[in-house]
Amino acid sequence: MKAVILVGGQGTRLRPLTLCVPKPMVPLANKPFVSYVLEHLQQNGIDEVIFSMGYLPDGIKSYFGDGSSLGIKLIYAVEDHPLGTAGAVKNVEKYIQDGDFLVLNGDILTDLDLRALMEFHREKNASGTIALTPVDDPTAYGLVRTGAEGEVLGFLEKPSWDQIDTNLINAGTYVLQAEVLDMIPAGVEYSFERGVFPRLVGKDLYGFGSNAYWMDIGTPEKYLQAHYDILEKNVSTAVSLCLDEDFVCVEEEARLEAGAKLVPPVMIGGGSVIKAGARVGRMAVIGPGCVVGSGSVVEESVIQADSTLEENVTVRRSIVARGARIGPGAVVRAGAVVGEEATIEGDNVLANNIRVYPGTVIKAGTIKF
Ligand code: GTP
């Protein structure tokens, strides 16, 4: 069985994290996000994956190569202009032979049982099967209405509360028969959600609901939540092994000075140094090669690789991207996102979801929320 992973989007909602790095390569618990997708596919018996790429494709290819280290054959296709979700799959038609194949949005963290999804699809002899997931607030999503046998009856885009008769949404994972590709025009932007699926209603299109873990990492809030869920083992990933029973994962050659404190759940990347009197956790991931200065506190936050927090820095519920530097006494809190290699000098307070673009320098005492 083959799978196509859609990774061509610009990830605008996750900016500035996606300005230098495409969303699939943004680190999640210190590994590129899409490596979780590949591990999940490999565990479910998929042996060939086609990456459908567009925006910043080079990093993905150079990191994963031919896939032999993962036991999956990897094929790369790059669009010269965005083709939308369905147009992107049409573009890789030559790699898909007859039969069924999987399509996955490349920004979903899930432990969905893909074998059960594929089994359901085959039992129904479906033209397409859409994985469905329940959400608390369906008004923000496109709902999928299904009948007693799981047949898709229709779609309801961003409904008002009085229209809601299901909380199941399209989970961004599909099994399709190769013939469905004949419905997609070549070389133009075309979407599954608005183009292909509405046309397949009544033509053996099914929904497969499950309560598996599901999170799209498309915004900074969800990116943080995915980290909390990995740290709390709400989703099954390889990180769970490192976290062990104490929910503390310290990777190779990380150094904790005497008097440094880790509060679980917490993950410290390889080669990082946590100085005396610093406190990291609960719910914190420090990337490889970071320094957390003495007296600094990191809680409910992600610090990506090679960043430096000097003395008495506070980072709460925020994200600091790769190679950033936060000066003495600075506070980064309440949904702030500091871009790659930005410098926040001391005596600044960043909050209110502020987003600092890569390479920006904020001089001492400039921002006080
Ligand atoms: P936003 O700009 O923040 O909405 O993010 P996005 O660009 O990732 O768009 P969206 O979340 O709607 O996309 C869902 C999935 O489809 C992501 O994995 C995207 O990478 C992928 N995707 C969206 N549009 C295209 C496209 O034109 N081509 C390809 N190959 N993939 C796409």
Side-chain angles (χ1 to χ4, degrees), residues 6-14 23 52-54 79 81-85 88 104-107 189 216 218:
L6 299 170
V7 290
Q10 293 197 14
T12 52
R13 291 165 300 151
L14 199 54
K23 193 157 52 173
S52 165
M53 314 191 289
E79 296 157 19
H81 64 280
L83 291 170
T85 47
L104 301 101
N105 282 0
D107 53 358
E189 197 165 342
D216 91 83

Side-chain angles (χ1 to χ4, degrees), residues 27 52 87 113 142 154 161 184 228 232 240 242 245 247 268 282 286:
S52 165
D113 183 345
W161 279 103
I184 305 172
Y228 305 156
E232 289 198 304
S240 302
C242 178
E245 275 167 23
F247 287 78
I268 308 294
R282 64 182 292 271
I286 307 293

